[in-house]
Amino acid sequence: PLLGDTTSNQVLLYSPPFQPVSFEEPKFPNYSFPDANLTAPDPPSNGPTFTLLLGNTSSLPAFDVSSNSFSDGTPATACALKNLQGLTIQNGSDVQESLVLRDSNGWRMEWLVNGLSPLTNYTAFVLKDDTKVAGPIYFLTKSGNFSS
């Protein structure tokens, strides 16, 4: 997954790209620029299913990248992650989910997650079609204290 940004109680996360977008390259002998206001292509109608799992890092066992598992022996598989104490599937009213064309890599799922705690470390994984695992990524929410 890709971290967009955080506030004191929100995070913006993106799935890995799943459907590239083709752009028409200029061809010889006409190397003219495309129109200034390009329209975005239609979003894909049948993409993969993504699941965002999020948890407070301090409530999870340490993750070992070299073995791709947690210190308690839990492997980083879709089934194990969905059942890991401390990670929760992000859905419901605290999550806004949408398809976005973020860059030339292609379409991504975007999540805006509300209801997080300030100055807290979080761990996130993304499951694609309940089989492929992306992550973990780690992020810290901001303090929310603004001083002038």
Side-chain angles (χ1 to χ4, degrees), residues 9-127:
N9 62 357
Q10 296 176 314
V11 66
L12 185 62
L13 296 169
Y14 297 94
S15 73
F18 64 90
Q19 184 169 336
V21 177
S22 61
F23 296 98
E24 190 173 325
E25 294 288 329
K27 295 181 175 60
F28 178 80
N30 184 3
Y31 291 106
S32 59
F33 288 111
D35 293 337
N37 295 324
L38 295 175
T39 57
D42 292 330
S45 57
N46 57 349
T49 302
F50 287 102
T51 304
L52 175 64
L53 300 170
L54 187 65
N56 185 319
T57 302
S58 65
S59 67
L60 298 170
F63 188 76
D64 180 9
V65 176
S66 63
S67 67
N68 201 33
S69 63
F70 290 89
S71 59
D72 67 353
T74 303
T77 62
C79 184
L81 290 173
K82 286 170 71 173
N83 294 305
L84 183 63
Q85 189 75 8
L87 275 181
T88 57
I89 295 174
Q90 297 301 300
N91 55 22
S93 62
D94 281 344
V95 180
Q96 296 171 16
E97 183 178 277
S98 59
L99 280 173
V100 295
L101 186 58
R102 187 176 182 280
D103 53 29
S104 61
N105 291 325
W107 291 95
R108 297 174 185 260
M109 186 60 67
E110 174 186 77
W111 295 276
L112 176 62
V113 181
N114 297 296
L116 303 179
S117 300
L119 280 177
T120 304
N121 289 306
Y122 287 93
T123 302
F125 289 89
V126 171
L127 308 180

